[in-house]
Amino acid sequence: MKKNLKLYLWLLYVNLFISSFTFGGGYVVVPMIKKYFVEDKNLISEDELMEMAAIAQSSPGSIAVNLSILAGKKVAGVPGIIITLISCIIPPVIILGLISKWYVAFSNNIYINAALKGMQACVIALIIDLVIDMYKSIIKENSRLLKILAPLSFVASAFFNINVILVLVSSCLVSFFTLFFKMKKGVKVNDF
Amino acid sequence: MIFKLFLIFFKIGSFSIGGGYAIMPLIQEQVVNQQHWITEKTFTDIITISQMTPGPLVVNSSTFVGMQISGPIGAIVATFGSIIGGIIISIVLYNFFAKYKSSQYVFQVLNSLKASSLGLIMSAGFTMLLLAFFNNSDFRAISSIENIDVIAVLIAVISLFIIRKFKISPIIMMIITGFVGLLVYA
């Protein structure tokens, strides 16, 4: 029980922090979860993080919240879900509650804008760092199909503006049928 | 009113796959065009504010709208409404994949989801990169490399180096680059 309490407090604290520093869109949460849950505490593996990110992205709503909740659930079950949910909401509700009264002054403030521009550049570095590590772990799977799916989805979404759902569904279908025909031919799945 | 607020944000949150930028048009349709709760101008401000403040875009914009309509309670209700559908679906999906992972098909589908979700993360990162380096998120509109923000590129490159070399905490890195931004841009 004491050990659980410590875990719950950590979960509360780390999610409050992550939620307070999600500048530059929800995607920053992925490298943050990676740093605190995977690298610092070893509570989830890199592979599990990728699964969670994939599921968070395939579900509606906010990717950041979905991912945080899955991480909370994995680490501490239902209490983990509740703690994460509460700690994800507190910072934005407080911050926006205050800001919504003076938002014009806030959005025109040159100092805030300057700090944000600096952080925006940092978010890019965080995401590139994450992409490098995750792509490395995809390469380890040793499947040609998986290796090309990531860059292909990137191009489809970034340059052709293809809908996210369509990208996810078509890559599932492609890999499903690739496996289906390989199995039919009797090829060992490991070679795929 | 509070119940309606919840219902509308629940609808918005449950029918949008792809995160923040996919949700904004839905919020606009419901909150501006149908309910007339806020004006077009305020909505544009909300997007700016949501990008400037921490927290995911979806959470921030629903908090903001809820706050404008019925104060702190409204903010909590709208935010809760917009995230609860996605949370339930991701938990169900996660349990499904965990249960049937031994099936080769399910395993394969999950693997391909992982790969293409990484591609989508890359795409979101690319949009942010264009925005930070060129002040424009549309690559078609970028005509010349001369418009590049050299300082932003430098901050990103140096940050990436520090993150990979010293495994520094992302939050500390954000605070440092915020200060650097203050020094060079203000």
Side-chain angles (χ1 to χ4, degrees):
Chain A
M1 188 62 213
K2 206 172 174 196
K3 199 178 158 227
N4 275 352
L5 191 68
K6 218 175 150 188
L7 181 67
Y8 295 158
L9 283 175
W10 179 78
L11 208 55
L12 181 74
Y13 152 85
V14 86
N15 275 308
L16 279 175
F17 248 90
I18 290 178
S19 188
S20 308
F21 281 90
T22 321
F23 288 97
Y27 282 92
V28 206
V29 168
V30 192
M32 298 249 190
I33 301 261
K34 179 166 169 277
K35 175 69 187 171
Y36 300 113
F37 285 71
V38 180
E39 285 164 13
D40 286 1
K41 292 266 175 180
N42 271 318
L43 288 167
I44 49 182
S45 71
E46 193 152 320
D47 200 48
E48 282 168 330
L49 173 71
M50 281 182 71
E51 280 169 21
M52 288 174 185
I55 288 163
Q57 206 151 40
S58 317
S59 313
S62 154
I63 290 156
V65 176
N66 294 349
L67 176 62
S68 304
I69 294 280
L70 287 179
K73 175 187 185 296
K74 177 81 196 169
V75 171
V78 176
I81 295 177
I82 297 165
I83 293 168
T84 309
L85 184 61
I86 294 169
S87 44
C88 275
I89 293 183
I90 292 175
V93 169
I94 293 176
I95 295 169
L96 281 149
L98 293 172
I99 286 172
S100 79
K101 285 206 188 300
W102 306 284
Y103 68 86
V104 179
F106 182 83
S107 60
N108 292 331
N109 189 300
I110 48 164
Y111 299 107
I112 293 172
N113 277 299
L116 281 169
K117 265 194 90 70
M119 288 196 272
Q120 212 176 21
C122 176
V123 169
I124 293 156
L126 286 172
I127 292 186
I128 294 176
D129 174 60
L130 172 87
V131 167
I132 295 173
D133 287 345
M134 283 192 153
Y135 198 64
K136 272 188 190 159
S137 82
I138 285 182
I139 291 175
K140 269 193 222 140
E141 301 268 335
N142 221 353
S143 142
R144 249 177 301 164
L145 181 67
L146 291 182
K147 266 183 229 167
I148 57 163
L149 269 181
L152 218 59
S153 308
F154 166 68
V155 171
S157 163
F159 296 106
F160 295 100
N161 265 323
I162 295 174
N163 191 295
V164 176
I165 308 168
L166 209 64
V167 173
L168 291 169
V169 169
S170 35
S171 70
C172 285
L173 287 177
V174 168
S175 67
F176 183 87
F177 284 110
T178 315
L179 181 65
F180 180 76
F181 289 117
K182 294 260 172 178
M183 298 262 268
K184 233 180 155 183
K185 277 194 203 156
V187 181
K188 262 198 261 149
V189 186
N190 298 348
D191 305 340
F192 149 84
Chain B
M1 189 63 181
I2 290 287
F3 184 69
K4 198 171 174 192
L5 195 65
F6 175 81
L7 214 62
I8 281 177
F9 275 96
F10 179 71
K11 214 158 75 181
I12 292 169
S14 305
F15 286 96
S16 53
I17 298 183
Y21 293 96
I23 294 175
M24 297 320 275
L26 286 170
I27 297 186
Q28 185 177 24
E29 177 57 30
Q30 288 288 331
V31 176
V32 181
N33 300 344
Q34 291 194 10
Q35 303 298 329
H36 304 288
W37 278 338
I38 54 170
T39 62
E40 192 73 42
K41 167 82 181 69
T42 315
F43 181 74
T44 320
D45 288 336
I46 292 177
I47 301 181
T48 318
I49 303 286
S50 301
Q51 281 166 334
M52 295 173 87
T53 45
L57 219 53
V58 188
V59 175
N60 288 354
S61 43
S62 30
T63 306
F64 192 102
V65 175
M67 194 75 193
Q68 294 278 318
I69 294 168
S70 41
I73 304 284
I76 293 167
V77 167
T79 306
F80 190 69
S82 70
I83 61 177
I84 195 69
I87 291 173
I88 293 171
I89 293 173
S90 11
I91 291 175
V92 170
L93 270 178
Y94 190 77
N95 288 343
F96 171 82
F97 279 113
K99 198 170 167 193
Y100 296 104
K101 228 174 156 178
S102 51
S103 148
Q104 267 173 343
Y105 284 107
V106 173
F107 184 71
Q108 192 55 37
V109 163
L110 182 61
N111 267 339
S112 66
L113 272 183
K114 277 198 274 190
S116 68
S117 125
L118 179 62
L120 296 174
I121 293 177
M122 286 157 76
S123 165
F126 180 66
T127 309
M128 281 184 249
L129 184 141
L130 293 179
L131 203 62
F133 291 177
F134 295 96
N135 246 315
N136 198 323
S137 59
D138 186 3
F139 68 93
R140 290 175 204 88
I142 295 162
S143 51
S144 140
I145 195 90
E146 283 160 34
N147 299 330
I148 197 163
D149 183 342
V150 181
I151 297 170
V153 178
L154 273 177
I155 297 177
V157 171
I158 296 170
S159 309
L160 182 63
F161 175 77
I162 295 174
I163 293 163
R164 287 205 75 79
K165 180 102 182 165
F166 303 106
K167 300 276 163 216
I168 195 168
S169 141
I171 289 173
I172 301 204
M173 206 60 224
M174 295 279 276
I175 296 173
I176 297 172
T177 49
F179 274 112
V180 173
L182 263 180
L183 289 175
V184 292
Y185 289 114

